[in-house]
Amino acid sequence: KTGRVPAGDAGAHAAHYAPQRDAYVTAAEAISGLPVSRFAFQFSQAGVQYSEMITDERRREARRRQGEMLRSISDGSRGLTAHPEECRFCGFRTTGWCPGVAG
């Protein structure tokens, strides 16, 4: 991750990116057929790596959260983002794939 993250805040920032972690872990497992045992975010500007074990319990919880997110997107109950101020950084908006969120 390239954002400015104080070294002591790496865990909180990693939690913010949990949906991204879950998607990467799920995809890697689907492609390889093997379970992922560890995942890490590298916060480059802070020079900090935040690493966590991927357990069976964490994997089940990730699948549950992904299912909820996909259902809420398909039924229209989920907005495009919970953090509209981040739209200015989003590649989807830049390419015209998403109009962004008024914020």
Side-chain angles (χ1 to χ4, degrees):
K1 307 306 295 178
T2 58
R4 296 181 189 271
V5 175
D9 293 343
H13 277 69
H16 171 75
Y17 291 112
Q20 186 178 27
R21 177 205 60 219
D22 296 346
Y24 288 165
V25 168
T26 300
E29 290 181 341
I31 292 166
S32 71
L34 301 170
V36 170
S37 60
R38 180 172 290 280
F39 182 86
F41 282 113
Q42 178 70 35
F43 296 100
S44 58
Q45 288 187 11
V48 173
Q49 183 182 77
Y50 183 84
S51 177
E52 51 195 1
M53 297 297 295
I54 303 297
T55 63
D56 287 339
E57 181 180 338
R58 178 166 274 171
R59 196 174 282 107
R60 282 190 298 274
E61 181 60 20
R63 288 187 184 122
R64 184 194 64 75
R65 284 191 308 267
Q66 287 173 323
E68 284 180 0
M69 187 180 298
L70 292 172
R71 280 188 295 281
S72 68
I73 290 169
S74 66
D75 71 14
S77 64
R78 180 175 170 86
L80 295 174
T81 181
H83 306 281
E85 68 279 2
E86 293 180 352
C87 283
R88 63 190 169 113
F89 300 114
C90 181
F92 289 106
R93 186 169 187 184
T94 303
T95 60
W97 293 355
C98 174
V101 176

